[in-house]
Amino acid sequence: MGETAQERGFSCVPECYKVEDSIRPCLDPKNAGVPLVDLDGMSNPAQRPRVAKDIANACRRNGFFHVINHGISQPILDGAISAASGFLNLPNEDKAKFMSNDVHNPVRYGTSVKDGEDNVQYWRVFLKHYAHPLKEWIGLWPNTPFDYREKMGEYTMEVQKLALKIVGIITEFLGLGPAYLTNKLDNGLQVMAVNSYPSCPQPELALGLPPHTDYCCLTILLQDSPGLQILDSDGKSWKLVPFIKSALQVHVGDQLEVLSNGRYKSLVHRVTVNSEKARFSVASLHCLGLDVKMSIAKELLDKENRNRYKESSFRDFLNFISKNDIGEGKSFLNTLMKIQNE
């Protein structure tokens, strides 16, 4: 710890960080056309159908959308980014006790995806910790900077409420009703991925994170600058997600793709880096409980729509990534897909 290229500010990218030519980023990518959903009408019975339709269309076509008027105040958003940068900019000795490559640890600090273990390393420093129920986990979080728990705790509570509202709309539009998943999610996991992508001397050679999907129902992302890219619908080109201040980015995760039997697609995304400044982000992943299996909603199955996915849990996912290198294109979601004529 403290010896990686991104932590020491190397003037060039070491060989172990150079990604293969086929996925090297373009430094001037086109912007993605990301739907913008105004949540102001969620509590208005007259406007709720319009909001639900906008979200459903975005889940089906893109697997991704921005939300505005989401109800989380700017001071709370700013506080979360401040807490993220405050911890990740601490001296190494203050972060050392959280250092771990064990993906099963509920609180861990690290670099890349699995520091030093994977074939290619990524230009990233992170802290991951469980967050819901807050009272069960906050005592394990860092207590430096002094306001980390307060600021990040405020944000995690608000974004959990928002996730439940959005999931309720999604399952309602699927014909399952607004409460189909909310109780399970409220008794499930919320995993916070607090990220720093330091400035990189050769950003055309490296990535902050490789292409992947998220194993959750929803990810809600807060960031301070652009850097996230999504794979276009043709599966051939990467486009930059534009940065909109105060907006939050929502994307469909693997669990929601399974629940919907593929009607909604888990978003393939990656993170690029830049040579000018560090980028900070806070991703809130909302999942079922550690050992609760996600399976397809039986209400969505019929003779023409057969079960396309195996059931799985968050622990199954952790076991998979502990043994596999996602930088080599290995995907847990792909292991869940059934052969159509089996």
Side-chain angles (χ1 to χ4, degrees):
M1 190 194 72
E3 298 299 316
T4 61
Q6 64 269 37
E7 291 174 294
R8 294 174 63 185
F10 279 22
S11 60
C12 62
V13 171
E15 285 297 320
C16 63
Y17 287 82
K18 294 179 180 179
V19 298
E20 60 184 57
D21 291 347
S22 62
I23 63 169
R24 285 187 178 175
C26 169
L27 295 186
D28 187 26
K30 294 181 179 179
N31 278 348
V34 180
L36 182 65
V37 178
D38 187 344
L39 299 183
D40 192 43
M42 282 180 66
S43 58
N44 185 329
Q47 297 183 37
R48 186 179 173 88
R50 184 264 307 166
V51 176
K53 186 176 181 180
D54 288 347
I55 290 176
N57 286 339
C59 289
R60 186 174 62 253
R61 297 171 185 169
N62 309 86
F64 186 91
F65 51 97
H66 280 122
V67 290
I68 58 174
N69 293 320
H70 43 65
I72 304 179
S73 70
Q74 192 63 48
I76 290 179
L77 299 178
D78 293 342
I81 291 293
S82 173
S85 61
F87 174 80
L88 294 172
N89 285 330
L90 286 173
N92 289 326
E93 55 267 24
D94 292 329
K95 298 177 286 192
K97 64 180 179 180
F98 298 104
M99 185 71 178
S100 175
N101 269 348
D102 185 353
V103 299
H104 296 86
N105 281 352
V107 181
R108 65 188 183 97
Y109 169 78
T111 65
S112 187
V113 177
K114 288 181 289 184
D115 182 29
E117 293 186 12
D118 296 333
N119 289 330
V120 175
Q121 296 296 293
Y122 296 94
W123 209 267
R124 171 194 186 218
V125 180
F126 68 89
L127 173 72
K128 283 190 176 182
H129 54 66
Y130 292 0
H132 181 75
L134 186 62
K135 62 183 180 180
E136 291 187 14
W137 300 112
I138 195 169
L140 299 178
W141 294 5
N143 55 11
T144 52
F146 73 93
D147 56 357
Y148 181 88
R149 293 179 179 179
E150 176 187 356
K151 289 181 176 179
M152 194 60 72
E154 286 180 336
Y155 177 69
T156 59
M157 288 191 295
E158 293 301 313
V159 78
Q160 172 73 3
K161 295 175 188 175
L162 176 62
L164 295 179
K165 292 177 182 178
I166 293 174
V167 167
I169 286 179
I170 289 172
T171 57
E172 182 178 5
F173 206 84
L174 281 171
L176 303 173
Y180 189 87
L181 269 186
T182 52
N183 286 339
K184 286 185 177 180
L185 276 183
D186 204 25
N187 291 304
L189 288 176
Q190 180 186 13
V191 182
M192 308 301 294
V194 180
N195 303 296
S196 171
Y197 302 95
S199 58
C200 176
Q202 296 170 293
E204 72 278 8
L205 299 180
L207 286 172
L209 277 175
H212 66 285
T213 60
D214 291 343
Y215 188 82
C216 58
C217 287
L218 285 183
T219 297
I220 300 180
L221 180 72
L222 168 66
Q223 60 178 352
D224 69 348
S225 57
L228 184 71
Q229 292 187 350
I230 60 175
L231 190 61
D232 205 359
S233 57
D234 61 9
K236 298 179 181 179
S237 59
W238 289 95
K239 293 187 176 179
L240 181 68
V241 175
F243 173 71
I244 302 175
K245 186 173 176 59
S246 301
L248 293 170
Q249 299 167 14
V250 181
H251 42 101
V252 171
D254 296 351
Q255 289 187 334
L256 192 54
E257 178 170 333
V258 171
L259 176 79
S260 68
N261 203 24
R263 288 171 171 79
Y264 298 158
K265 295 296 185 182
S266 189
L267 182 78
V268 180
H269 55 288
R270 69 181 187 180
V271 179
T272 58
V273 291
N274 70 81
S275 60
E276 298 175 1
K277 66 175 186 176
R279 170 178 173 265
F280 293 93
S281 71
V282 181
S284 182
L285 286 75
H286 302 269
C287 325
L288 301 190
L290 188 63
D291 293 303
V292 178
K293 300 284 187 179
M294 174 60 87
S295 58
I296 296 167
K298 295 179 181 179
E299 295 87 342
L300 302 180
L301 296 175
D302 54 38
K303 291 182 179 180
E304 295 181 358
N305 296 284
R306 297 184 178 181
N307 189 329
R308 298 173 53 195
Y309 300 86
K310 302 172 185 176
E311 65 177 18
S312 63
S313 68
F314 193 75
R315 191 187 300 276
D316 295 332
F317 165 71
L318 293 178
N319 291 338
F320 175 86
I321 60 170
S322 69
K323 300 173 183 176
N324 291 276
D325 183 349
I326 65 169
E328 295 180 344
K330 295 177 181 177
S331 164
F332 183 60
L333 180 61
N334 288 343
T335 70
L336 303 180
M337 294 181 180
K338 293 185 176 182
I339 298 174
Q340 292 303 297
N341 59 359
E342 70 177 2

